[in-house]
Amino acid sequence: MDLQNPAPEDLLCDESFLRYCWGENQTDITYWEYWIQERPERQPVAERARRLFDILTAGQHSRPAQLAALKDAVARREQFTALMLNRPAPARVVKFKGKKILHYAAAVAVLITAGALTYFQYTKKQSWSLTKYEYHTTAGSRQTIMLPDGSVVMLNTNSHLYIGKDLRTVTLNGEAFFDIRHDAVHPFLVHTKDYNIRVLGTSFNVRAYAGARRTETDLITGKVEIVPATKEKVVLRPNEKFILAPAATAPVKGTIAHLDVDTLTHHATETSWARNRMDVHDETLAAIAQKLEAWYGIRIIFASEKARQYRYTASFNDETVFRALQYLKQSYPFSYKVEGDLIIISES
């Protein structure tokens, strides 16, 4: 392990640091106190590692159980990238008889990697309590929340998440990626505006924005059960997605299809945002502008109707909005100018 610039999770893999956290060896305590004091920028990393240690070992009353919890949490972080790999599966179509759809919202926990990490606190009464029950992200921001059982949720931009007191029931308005720890006794339940999702232990993405015409669930691993208002359950298999687009007059139709896989990266495009990547496939510049607004928290308007209809296919990894626009201009030229936080696009 590189002790010059370690991540909090790296410290949890170091036996000496664990002994420091347990406070059982004076040599280790002295070493790590000096290590922290030697370079002040290490203190936030050490403090986050200590918080993770407290969270992941709380409620584990034996040393072997504590070590197992720590190793499992670190392993879950290392496996996260692998969860994004997908293979397509045959498409299926499901039709529901009813027209009305439940109008709720939902999502919960996953990830020790990118974004802001929110912790849950352990009380002296040996029970978990939430530091807060609701989370909200704005345009250009994302947040990662970790639950006491090791489950994690990454909340995308312009999203709202409510977590029930039992920590296994959530409501989502927006988009979130979940990695839920298996618990056969206490299934995890996600409420959205169009249907509910019952989970035993799996990784999946949910897109359920208020006002959007469709609600979508993308399954990466495990199994989820979709429960619409009609109670006609649908079970998703890995690499499948369920799309529900209610119509005003026609019966509600739910479609099961395979995930879209990028031919170059072999990743599912549905979860590209969780890898800090934005993909566009044969979309108009107007549609891309909406994504850029949410992604970067800026405003874009058009001075030309013709420019709105230009179409592009592209992928962006950790690019600035200006670099993204420059890339787009290379395939179909246009002009833009910046006025404060406003970008104005016109014909070239």
Side-chain angles (χ1 to χ4, degrees):
M1 178 181 67
D2 178 15
L3 287 180
Q4 295 302 313
N5 297 290
E9 298 82 9
D10 294 328
L11 294 179
L12 293 180
C13 295
D14 188 281
E15 293 185 5
S16 174
F17 185 81
L18 294 181
R19 289 193 294 269
Y20 161 70
C21 292
W22 275 309
E24 63 182 15
N25 186 294
Q26 188 58 48
T27 301
D28 293 307
I29 294 173
T30 301
Y31 171 82
W32 287 103
E33 287 181 348
Y34 175 78
W35 182 84
I36 295 170
Q37 294 173 3
E38 185 182 25
R39 290 174 54 181
E41 65 270 20
R42 291 171 174 170
Q43 184 171 352
V45 178
E47 289 178 351
R48 178 175 291 186
R50 285 297 301 266
R51 288 198 297 270
L52 278 173
F53 174 88
D54 292 339
I55 289 169
L56 297 171
T57 59
Q60 307 294 338
H61 303 296
S62 68
R63 182 61 54 81
Q66 291 176 337
L67 284 171
L70 288 167
K71 290 179 180 179
D72 181 67
V74 173
R76 291 170 72 84
R77 182 200 64 154
E78 294 173 346
Q79 293 168 359
F80 181 76
T81 301
L83 294 176
M84 298 301 180
L85 295 175
N86 299 282
R87 290 290 182 271
R92 295 184 283 151
V93 177
V94 179
K95 180 181 291 187
F96 295 122
K97 298 177 182 178
K99 296 181 181 179
K100 293 184 178 180
I101 302 296
L102 292 176
H103 290 276
Y104 297 111
V108 149
V110 138
L111 212 63
I112 313 176
T113 51
L117 181 59
T118 300
Y119 297 92
F120 295 84
Q121 297 179 338
Y122 189 67
T123 69
K124 293 182 179 179
K125 295 181 180 180
Q126 302 294 310
S127 62
W128 287 100
S129 64
L130 290 169
T131 57
K132 58 180 179 178
Y133 296 98
E134 296 186 58
Y135 300 87
H136 177 72
T137 57
T138 58
S141 69
R142 298 169 189 80
Q143 186 172 15
T144 299
I145 307 159
M146 184 175 181
L147 291 182
D149 67 353
S151 295
V152 192
V153 64
M154 179 183 280
L155 200 60
N156 202 358
T157 60
N158 292 321
S159 298
H160 181 269
L161 177 70
Y162 172 81
I163 303 175
K165 291 184 178 181
D166 64 353
L167 304 182
R168 299 291 290 182
T169 302
V170 300
T171 300
L172 173 69
N173 175 9
E175 183 170 14
F177 185 89
F178 302 83
D179 185 18
I180 304 304
R181 191 183 185 93
H182 177 76
D183 188 338
V185 179
H186 304 97
F188 191 85
L189 185 63
V190 179
H191 297 295
T192 74
K193 64 185 180 67
D194 287 327
Y195 51 75
N196 298 332
I197 305 165
R198 186 174 181 270
V199 183
L200 291 179
T202 186
S203 301
F204 60 102
N205 190 77
V206 179
R207 190 178 304 107
Y209 284 98
R213 295 186 60 184
R214 57 188 259 170
T215 299
E216 180 175 326
T217 298
D218 314 302
L219 182 61
I220 308 301
T221 64
K223 182 174 68 175
V224 298
E225 185 178 75
I226 307 296
V227 187
T230 59
K231 306 301 181 183
E232 298 177 54
K233 302 175 183 178
V234 176
V235 176
L236 285 186
R237 296 190 291 263
N239 305 316
E240 288 186 336
K241 60 183 176 182
F242 179 79
I243 304 169
L244 190 62
T249 56
V252 176
K253 292 184 178 180
T255 302
I256 298 177
H258 59 76
L259 299 180
D260 297 322
V261 179
D262 188 292
T263 56
L264 294 178
T265 65
H266 303 294
H267 292 155
T269 60
E270 289 85 354
T271 58
S272 59
W273 71 269
R275 300 188 302 277
N276 211 28
R277 176 187 177 97
M278 185 175 69
D279 295 316
V280 294
H281 298 275
D282 191 27
E283 298 182 40
T284 64
L285 188 54
I288 296 172
Q290 291 181 338
K291 291 185 176 182
L292 293 175
E293 286 180 324
W295 194 265
Y296 296 103
I298 46 88
R299 292 186 301 145
I300 300 177
I301 63 173
F302 288 84
S304 165
E305 182 61 31
K306 184 177 180 179
R308 291 175 57 89
Q309 304 308 317
Y310 295 165
R311 305 189 75 88
Y312 301 87
T313 295
S315 296
F316 307 106
N317 275 310
D318 292 323
E319 305 289 355
T320 66
V321 64
F322 304 112
R323 182 66 66 85
L325 290 173
Q326 287 298 122
Y327 284 155
L328 293 174
K329 286 177 59 177
Q330 292 178 11
S331 59
Y332 210 131
F334 58 86
S335 299
Y336 70 88
K337 62 180 179 179
V338 181
E339 296 182 358
D341 66 345
L342 178 66
I343 296 176
I344 304 173
I345 296 178
S346 58
E347 294 179 51
S348 181

